[in-house]
Amino acid sequence: MHEWAPEIRVDEPLARRLIGEQFTEVEARSFRLLGEGWDTTVYLVDDRWTFRFPRKAMVIPGFRNEIAHLPTLASLLPLPIPVPTLVGEPSDEFEWPFYGAPYLPGRELAEANLHDHARAMLALPLAEFLRALHGVELDADLPLDPVRRADMPFRVERTRDRMDRLAHEHLWQPPPLVDELLVEAERIPPPKPVNVCHGDLHLRHLLVGDDGRPTAVIDWIDLSRNDPAVDLTLFWSSLATESRGTFLDAYGEVTEHQMLRARVLSLFLCGTLALFGRHEGLPALEREAVAGLERTCG
């Protein structure tokens, strides 16, 4: 069984029943599967609401953090994020909470298939968003690095495993630079997890318009306090190389250790998404993830 396999998958009939029983104001005239990942199954309802249903017990604390803190956080950030509005309670038929948020338009980077000029348009708004997020003062008892993103000895071991699997499945052959980066990263001391962070800001969680400009940042289950480096993976995986200076000018100072942490995380997350795309039959995601690995090494 793959690590992303769900413990419970809410199919459309179950989703309709759960929504209908708790939210009579939702007509549910249209109903479409919007996406599935490790943590949630998401439906678009009436072209107005996105309903998110957890897939695993381990994500429930993070899911409750989304419900508790995203409404406040949304008012403090320059890009839209989900705002849990219709909060479903656990029931006999589904033992976990779920919620509906107003629909946020945009496409995943893999589906947008941006050319280099459009991709360069990501840099400034992404930097401004992350600068605002990492400067937020949020009165919330958030977890500290809950999935050990900033723990480099742990993360390097996981990244080596991803690189081995990529090579074994003939998805991507890591160049010698990868091992050099991982050896160097193992020596980095642990950071202090102070800043409010998204925690899992990879290429599936930034939505963009046709012109390449970001339209929303989604999936906040790993909302936490951490080293800001954990949110800088898109700097490596998704920005056009020539626009990285624009990002840094707008974002502010980033230390060498933070740059390296972000680069290792980019390798890990792109490697994971490439494998996920291959096994789940998502060729566009597979291509974008492999391209992200190439950019990270560029």
Side-chain angles (χ1 to χ4, degrees):
M1 179 181 294
H2 294 298
E3 63 199 82
W4 51 78
E7 294 168 14
I8 298 175
R9 182 185 182 276
V10 175
D11 59 16
E12 182 176 329
L14 176 55
R16 283 183 175 274
R17 289 198 302 274
L18 293 172
I19 294 169
E21 289 168 1
Q22 298 199 36
F23 305 109
T24 56
E25 67 271 34
V26 177
E27 297 182 18
R29 291 173 295 178
S30 65
F31 215 97
R32 176 166 66 89
L33 179 65
L34 198 59
E36 294 182 287
W38 276 259
D39 300 334
T40 58
T41 299
V42 185
Y43 291 95
L44 176 60
V45 181
D46 292 338
D47 294 321
R48 179 184 176 190
W49 299 104
T50 52
F51 274 90
R52 287 165 52 82
F53 297 90
R55 291 160 64 90
K56 297 178 180 179
M58 67 175 293
V59 307
I60 299 305
F63 199 82
R64 293 190 185 279
N65 273 337
E66 286 190 327
I67 293 170
H69 302 305
L70 291 192
T72 298
L73 199 56
S75 66
L76 304 174
L77 299 175
L79 288 176
I81 67 173
V83 177
T85 304
L86 304 176
V87 179
E89 298 296 331
S91 64
D92 291 340
E93 197 164 18
F94 186 66
E95 61 182 332
W96 298 328
F98 63 96
Y99 71 77
Y103 171 63
L104 299 175
R107 293 185 290 172
E108 293 183 17
L109 282 169
E111 300 298 330
N113 193 26
L114 301 178
H115 53 73
D116 285 347
H117 176 70
R119 192 176 290 275
M121 302 299 290
L122 295 172
L124 181 58
L126 178 61
E128 291 173 341
F129 173 83
L130 288 174
R131 180 170 182 153
L133 173 63
H134 296 156
V136 160
E137 297 292 337
L138 190 65
D139 184 15
D141 184 19
L142 298 176
L144 307 180
D145 194 13
V147 291
R148 301 175 72 178
R149 288 279 195 253
D151 181 343
M152 282 294 102
F154 172 82
R155 192 53 55 187
V156 164
E157 181 181 355
R158 298 289 300 276
T159 303
R160 286 199 174 104
D161 173 72
R162 290 294 188 269
M163 298 300 105
D164 290 344
R165 289 175 60 186
L166 289 169
H168 178 74
E169 298 194 25
H170 305 289
L171 267 167
W172 189 65
Q173 183 61 50
L177 174 64
V178 169
D179 192 57
E180 295 171 16
L181 293 171
L182 296 181
V183 169
E184 184 180 354
E186 281 182 306
R187 306 190 185 108
I188 297 179
K192 293 181 179 180
V194 174
N195 299 76
V196 175
C197 292
H198 179 284
D200 193 28
L201 190 53
H202 59 63
L203 58 88
R204 297 200 76 187
H205 296 159
L206 178 69
L207 302 185
V208 298
D210 293 337
D211 61 357
R213 295 182 185 276
T215 62
V217 177
I218 61 172
D219 199 333
W220 291 74
I221 276 179
D222 291 321
L223 176 65
S224 54
R225 296 193 188 278
N226 216 322
D227 182 336
V230 303
D231 284 348
L232 301 182
T233 56
L234 292 174
F235 172 88
W236 291 106
S237 69
S238 303
L239 294 186
T241 303
E242 62 271 17
S243 68
R244 288 174 179 169
T246 300
F247 177 96
L248 292 174
D249 287 345
Y251 177 79
E253 182 181 1
V254 181
T255 69
E256 290 186 9
H257 282 176
Q258 288 174 327
M259 276 295 192
L260 183 54
R261 282 193 191 95
R263 204 171 190 183
V264 169
L265 282 174
S266 180
L267 290 169
F268 171 78
L269 290 168
C270 286
T272 302
L273 291 168
L275 290 162
F276 178 75
R278 170 65 60 89
H279 288 273
E280 296 298 305
L282 300 169
L285 177 59
E286 179 185 328
R287 288 192 298 272
E288 179 68 22
V290 170
L293 290 165
E294 294 287 348
R295 291 188 193 97
T296 303
C297 292

